[in-house]
Amino acid sequence: MQIKDFRIGPSLKELTEHRTVVLPVACYETTISQNIHGHIPLHWHDELQFVRIVRGEALFQINEEKLIVRQGEGVFINSGCLHMAEDRNESDCVYICLNVSPEFVVSRELYATYVAPYIQATNLPYLYIDSSQAWGKNILGALADIHQWIQQKPSYFEMDMTMHLTFIWKNLIMNGFQLKYDQVEAVKNQRMKQMLSWIDIHYAEKIALNDIARAGQLSRSECCRYFKRMLNTTPLNYVTDYRIQKSVVLLQQADSNVTEVAYAVGFNSTSYFIEKFRKSMDMTPLAYKKLQMETRS
């Protein structure tokens, strides 16, 4: 089952509970264009994430790096890393996504040796999974098995799944890359999350650049450099885009109107909201609302 509108908390941490009834694991198929925003918005979570592209191709951004992943390929996204994804070249991209608690991939006794160093490393935000490599083929095949088991729930599938998770993790860490922990890089990531969290809480209010910079304990110029490097935008343009994202959800409510939505998400002018919405969504807010109502009827 696809999650089309997963909830994101004040720090952009995803609030979806990634688990089956008894295990801290979730595996589902996602069509990027069917997300309520038309893409997978920026977020993060504690779980490790493994992705296998089933159809088309996607552009992923993980922290400040971008990666194109095509059909038959995959990507591992480490715990706590900011990431987003969008369909590339209108390919109608579909992928299988496996989220698993880091504490669950190996036994408790092995966690400190074989998992903790990898999720704490600052040089491993993601890893491209190449299907032409034996280790990559192993991981992608195991992802397909787990997805099928969760859907069909055959006898003892939970035990098979736990063995596959350990198998996946072993294949990942057998690459032999040198792990590094950079305190400066860790602080940068934390400050970025602090600024995004502040915006999430205050987006409906009047926001100035000084406010965002203060939330990250940065100067105005340094704040702008953070957003340019990690999100390729300015802080205030990010705020505008974020308000548009929030308005999309409100416009799908039957009793909402464009003016009320504009002010609810922080715009102080209906005409300016319409202008920015049209630029972002290629249609006016009213046209979007009518389209959503027709789709549901």
Side-chain angles (χ1 to χ4, degrees):
M1 180 183 69
Q2 171 159 347
I3 300 173
K4 296 184 180 180
D5 182 25
F6 52 76
R7 295 176 302 126
I8 297 175
S11 64
L12 291 194
K13 182 178 181 180
E14 186 183 349
L15 300 179
T16 308
E17 193 171 9
H18 295 136
R19 60 181 302 119
T20 63
V21 175
V22 295
L23 301 177
V25 179
C27 190
Y28 43 85
E29 187 174 274
T30 293
T31 302
I32 293 178
S33 61
Q34 290 182 7
N35 184 276
I36 192 172
H37 302 292
H39 65 280
I40 309 301
L42 188 71
H43 66 287
W44 64 277
H45 39 71
D46 293 324
E47 291 83 5
L48 306 167
Q49 184 170 100
F50 295 87
V51 170
R52 173 179 176 161
I53 304 295
V54 176
R55 182 179 71 211
E57 56 186 75
L59 175 64
F60 285 85
Q61 178 172 328
I62 301 116
N63 286 347
E64 60 193 86
E65 299 185 50
K66 292 186 177 181
L67 174 71
I68 296 171
V69 188
R70 298 179 174 85
Q71 182 174 328
E73 304 170 342
V75 61
F76 159 72
I77 301 173
N78 211 342
S79 171
C81 292
L82 286 162
H83 58 282
M84 61 185 297
E86 59 186 46
D87 194 300
R88 190 167 184 268
N89 295 330
E90 298 182 347
S91 64
D92 199 23
C93 181
V94 177
Y95 63 76
I96 293 172
C97 180
L98 169 68
N99 291 329
V100 54
S101 169
E103 291 81 10
F104 193 65
V105 294
V106 299
S107 67
R108 185 184 309 168
E109 292 79 6
L110 298 178
Y111 178 83
T113 301
Y114 290 110
V115 179
Y118 292 87
I119 64 174
Q120 293 167 3
T122 53
N123 67 330
L124 187 61
Y126 73 91
L127 188 65
Y128 166 70
I129 303 175
D130 187 348
S131 59
S132 67
Q133 300 290 322
W135 66 270
K137 185 177 180 180
N138 288 341
I139 290 175
L140 295 171
L143 289 180
D145 288 343
I146 290 174
H147 181 238
Q148 184 176 7
W149 291 335
I150 287 181
Q151 287 183 310
Q152 299 178 356
K153 297 180 174 54
S155 299
Y156 312 113
F157 83 96
E158 298 94 341
M159 295 178 67
D160 288 328
M161 192 162 61
T162 57
M163 289 188 289
H164 261 42
L165 290 172
T166 301
F167 176 73
I168 287 172
W169 193 249
K170 180 182 177 182
N171 275 272
L172 185 84
I173 67 176
M174 282 174 62
N175 280 279
F177 34 70
Q178 295 297 311
L179 299 178
K180 298 178 182 177
Y181 183 82
D182 185 340
Q183 179 65 28
V184 173
E185 193 64 27
V187 169
K188 285 181 180 178
N189 289 337
Q190 184 59 35
R191 286 181 172 173
M192 192 71 213
K193 287 180 181 177
Q194 288 172 346
M195 291 187 287
L196 296 176
S197 174
W198 189 91
I199 291 170
D200 179 80
I201 295 170
H202 298 280
Y203 70 89
E205 306 167 14
K206 184 177 180 180
I207 294 178
L209 177 57
N210 281 337
D211 300 323
I212 302 171
R214 192 179 303 114
Q217 300 174 294
L218 298 169
S219 67
R220 289 162 52 101
S221 59
E222 192 68 9
C223 170
C224 291
R225 280 194 287 271
Y226 267 58
F227 275 81
K228 180 65 176 176
R229 191 183 79 241
M230 297 194 74
L231 301 179
N232 196 32
T233 189
T234 67
L236 294 181
N237 281 345
Y238 174 85
V239 171
T240 298
D241 291 341
Y242 194 70
R243 286 168 170 164
I244 296 297
Q245 285 186 28
K246 292 295 185 181
S247 75
V248 164
V249 179
L250 296 179
L251 286 167
Q252 297 196 33
Q253 298 176 6
D255 59 348
S256 66
N257 69 65
V258 172
T259 298
E260 290 175 351
V261 169
Y263 284 92
V265 298
F267 289 93
N268 57 14
S269 162
T270 304
S271 60
Y272 185 66
F273 168 57
I274 294 171
E275 175 192 339
K276 291 300 181 181
F277 192 97
R278 181 190 285 117
K279 184 177 180 180
S280 176
M281 303 292 291
D282 293 324
M283 65 180 74
T284 65
L286 184 58
Y288 176 83
K289 180 177 177 62
K290 288 181 177 178
L291 179 63
Q292 296 303 311
M293 295 301 105
E294 290 170 0
T295 302
R296 293 183 182 183
S297 61

